[in-house]
Structure formats: structure tokens, C-alpha cells
Amino acid sequence: MTVQQTTPPKPKQSLIHQFSNFTRTTAGLEKTLRLIQSLAQIAIELDIDPTSTTRWTTAKSQLALTRRYFRFFAFIDCFGRVYGLLGGRDESQGLLMSGIEIGRWSCLGLYFVLEDLTILHAMNIHPVAWNKLVLIEAYKFWFYALSLSILGAVLGLLFTPRVSTASKYSSDEKPSTKKDNGKAPTTVDAQGQSQAERTALMKRIVVDGCDLLIPGAFVGWMQVTTASPKNPLSATKYHVKNTIVTVNDQLSQPWRFERVMLGDLNQEPRVLVCVVIGKVLSAVCAERVLCETPVYQVDDVDQDKAAAFNCREWVVDPLERLRGSDAVSSVFARGKVERNAVEYVDEKKNMGRWEAGGDGEVGGSDYGLDYGEMCS
């Protein structure tokens, strides 16, 4: 008689110990930081107050930078997988699936390499002018990798054989609870393995499909609408612009003053930031000052002012006129306003405020009043 010694089952770990073990791994810690970054993004969209939004924006950018450290050498694993596929180490996949996997991991590896080239710029150690261009190309490769991953998962679902419950046993056999030498029937194992593979492929489609929005929106291939704020901020924009017109069969670009009503200032793509420069005492008087500010043309008598006139210089004149009027009080000096505005824009630019939307370049100047905008 033989006595079989059974090993007592290990006690189940608590959730705290499971979480601790999860965060000890590189992948687990990176996913945890990604969750916190997502919560920060939600807090930013809620826009509780400007101070909290600024803090959450800083936290989001720092978390994004921290996550880049964890995947700095991820390209090695990607190219290692490509080398293994090219070497024919995985013969379970067909030619088509192998080609898709090679393309997928190659594109993902190139994404990591290009992203690594901009790490010093993101850390503000060595800013470069080509950062945006390299990131766009990197996100294109990320988009390709995710697309190939989804394609491979869909093909895997279509061609993965299913083991039906009806075929678990032959027609002359009946299910039995008795195990053969302590092993479960092989058909049950095959069915469980097939179901697990299909579940993993479906999860991959969902996850990669959601991630596809990030590079797609960044490079402009996918249009993603943003939620409108609960209380739209209406404003009036005053500026001068030059447009090509034909006068007596001659082309010219005269400057003209323009007053535009904005239903929601947050949806105006050409306004990067708003800077308060004074308190409006009379909106009517302030508007009259802006409308009466002269606009110089190339053929004006005062050639010195006409030669130096542009949309940026136009802002200087109404600022001085408003300072000497009763329409606005406590108007700051032009140099201080411009310096503070540029510093604020640079701060937001370094935080990545406009990376996923516009081109992120700052041109001209935006000076805001309590009731509207003067933009150049």
C-alpha cells in the first residue's frame, strides 16, 4: 500500500500583498503610473479651478515623462522578437501571421527608438527644434504597430479552431468523472486553451483599439472631439489682418481692422492663452479706443510708421491709448505684459499643452482684457 503525500495549498495572499507584488515588477509599476496619469487627465477635464488644473497638468506631464524611463530600452525586446521570427523559431504561425508579427514588432521598436531620441528635450536638458517632427514620425510607427496588432488579432479569431462541447466525447462514450492517472481528459484541456487564446485576442483588440486613438489624434489621422465646457466663455476679438485683394487689376495686401464675436473663447484655435492686463471700467469707451486706433498702409504719408506696421505693432498703440483713457484702469506696461505672456506660453508649451492639437509654435502676441481679446 502506498501513501500519497499531499502538499497543503498555499494561503491566498491579501489584496495589499498582491498589489505590492504587482508594483514590484516594471510592467506593473508602469501600468500603475498610467492609471494615475489617466486620473490626472480626468481631473484636468473637470476644470474645477485654474490652480487645480495647473497642478494636475504638471502631474500628468511628470507622470508621462516618468513612464518613458521605464520603456527606454523596450526597443531591445521588440527587435529581439523580430530576430526570433526571422530565424524561424516560432513555426506555429503561418507565413501571413509571421509577416504581420514582424511588421508589428518592427514598427513598435522604431517607435521606441524615435521616442528615445527626444528624451533629453522632454527633460529640458537639451531642447531641440526637431522634437515635434521626430515625435510625429514616432507616433506614426506606433499607429502602424497597433493597426497590425489589431489585424493579427482579428485574423487569429477568425482562424482559431473552436473545440465544441459536443465533440468532447465520441458518440459511444459517456462523460466520466474518473481521471486517468490523475490527468484530466485532453479534450477538456484543448477546449480551455482555445477559449483562453480567443479571450486574449479579444482583449488585445479592445485595448489596442483604444490606444489607437492616441497616435491617431496626435498625427491628425483621427478626429477626436473634445467636450465643451459647461459655461462657454464669450468674448470679442480685435485684430488687424492683411488679405490679398484685387484693385484695378492690381494685387495688394492692405491691412484692415476686424472685430469678431466669439461664442466660446475656449474653442478659438488661434488664441493660445489669455492674459489680463487691466480692469475694464467702460466697455463702450474701450471699444471706441480700439476701433479708432489707426491702421497704416504702405502708401500712407507717414512712411516710417507704415514700414514698421504689422499685426504685432498694432497692439502697442491701443495699449498706450487705453492707458491714457478712462476706459481701463491699472493697465500694465507693454514690456511687462509681453514678457509675462511669453513666459506663461513657454511654461505651458514645455508642459505639452499644445502637443496633441496645434503645431505648438507661438507667433505674435495675445493680450486679454476682462471683456475680450486683442490678438496679433
Side-chain angles (χ1 to χ4, degrees), residues 100-344:
I100 292 176
E101 288 298 302
I102 290 174
R104 170 194 173 191
W105 291 109
S106 297
C107 291
L108 194 59
L110 290 173
Y111 159 69
F112 287 130
V113 170
L114 293 176
E115 186 189 52
D116 291 345
L117 294 177
T118 63
I119 189 68
L120 294 180
H121 180 94
M123 297 169 64
N124 288 326
I125 295 177
H126 182 62
V128 291
W130 42 263
N131 173 74
K132 182 70 175 182
L133 297 176
V134 173
L135 279 181
I136 290 177
E137 297 303 319
Y139 274 61
K140 287 180 181 179
F141 281 111
W142 187 16
F143 186 90
Y144 300 149
L146 292 174
S147 300
L148 290 173
S149 176
I150 295 174
L151 176 61
V154 171
L155 293 178
L157 283 176
L158 294 177
F159 297 105
T160 298
R162 287 189 176 184
V163 181
S164 61
T165 55
S167 61
K168 286 171 58 178
Y169 306 97
S170 60
S171 58
D172 57 346
E173 289 181 337
K174 294 183 179 180
S176 174
T177 57
K178 184 178 179 180
K179 296 183 179 180
D180 185 13
N181 295 330
K183 295 182 180 180
T186 56
T187 52
V188 176
D189 292 341
Q191 185 188 25
Q193 182 179 1
S194 176
Q195 184 62 32
E197 290 177 356
R198 297 181 65 85
T199 302
L201 290 174
M202 287 188 287
K203 288 182 179 179
R204 185 168 127 191
I205 293 175
V206 174
V207 173
D208 290 348
C210 294
D211 286 343
L212 195 66
L213 294 173
I214 302 175
F218 186 88
V219 300
W221 291 347
M222 302 176 69
Q223 297 297 326
V224 180
T225 57
T226 57
S228 301
K230 296 180 180 179
N231 299 318
L233 180 61
S234 60
T236 306
K237 182 172 70 173
Y238 305 88
H239 69 146
V240 293
K241 59 186 296 186
N242 56 347
T243 55
I244 300 177
V245 296
T246 303
V247 180
N248 298 328
D249 296 331
Q250 297 291 330
L251 294 178
S252 62
Q253 288 183 286
W255 290 99
R256 60 185 180 88
F257 172 78
E258 191 173 64
R259 176 181 181 274
V260 182
M261 299 296 297
L262 303 178
D264 187 2
L265 189 60
N266 297 291
Q267 303 299 323
E268 176 62 24
R270 296 184 62 85
V271 177
L272 296 181
V273 298
C274 295
V275 181
V276 177
I277 62 173
K279 181 178 181 181
V280 176
L281 302 178
S282 174
V284 176
C285 295
E287 182 166 337
R288 184 171 63 250
V289 171
L290 295 173
C291 295
E292 293 177 354
T293 301
V295 178
Y296 296 94
Q297 308 296 342
V298 293
D299 55 351
D300 281 344
V301 178
D302 194 340
Q303 286 295 306
D304 293 336
K305 290 188 176 181
F309 184 81
N310 54 35
C311 57
R312 183 185 180 90
E313 290 298 323
W314 177 84
V315 179
V316 180
D317 198 1
L319 276 178
E320 297 302 324
R321 289 170 176 264
L322 289 172
R323 187 192 303 276
S325 68
D326 297 331
V328 181
S329 66
S330 304
V331 179
F332 297 106
R334 182 249 179 142
K336 182 178 180 181
V337 170
E338 185 171 12
R339 183 172 59 255
N340 292 343
V342 171
E343 290 177 355
Y344 181 75

Side-chain angles (χ1 to χ4, degrees), residues 5-132:
Q5 184 177 3
T6 59
T7 304
K10 295 182 179 180
K12 186 178 180 180
Q13 292 183 336
S14 63
L15 291 177
I16 297 179
H17 284 86
Q18 293 181 27
F19 177 76
S20 177
N21 294 334
F22 178 73
T23 53
R24 284 198 190 115
T25 63
T26 302
L29 184 56
E30 197 274 339
K31 292 182 183 298
T32 304
L33 293 176
R34 185 175 186 179
L35 174 61
I36 300 175
Q37 182 182 348
S38 302
L39 296 177
Q41 179 65 45
I42 295 175
I44 293 172
E45 295 300 329
L46 292 177
D47 195 13
I48 301 174
D49 59 80
T51 303
S52 298
T53 302
T54 302
R55 291 174 178 174
W56 282 113
T57 303
T58 304
K60 175 194 169 187
S61 62
Q62 293 299 320
L63 288 169
L65 180 60
T66 303
R67 290 178 55 218
R68 291 181 62 172
Y69 300 147
F70 287 98
R71 60 176 184 263
F72 187 83
F73 294 104
F75 66 91
I76 298 177
D77 181 61
C78 295
F79 292 140
R81 289 174 179 264
V82 174
Y83 179 78
L85 290 169
L86 291 175
R89 297 178 184 176
D90 189 359
E91 299 179 354
S92 61
Q93 303 184 84
L95 182 61
L96 177 61
M97 294 299 295
S98 296
I100 292 176
E101 288 298 302
I102 290 174
R104 170 194 173 191
W105 291 109
S106 297
C107 291
L108 194 59
L110 290 173
Y111 159 69
F112 287 130
V113 170
L114 293 176
E115 186 189 52
D116 291 345
L117 294 177
T118 63
I119 189 68
L120 294 180
H121 180 94
M123 297 169 64
N124 288 326
I125 295 177
H126 182 62
V128 291
W130 42 263
N131 173 74
K132 182 70 175 182

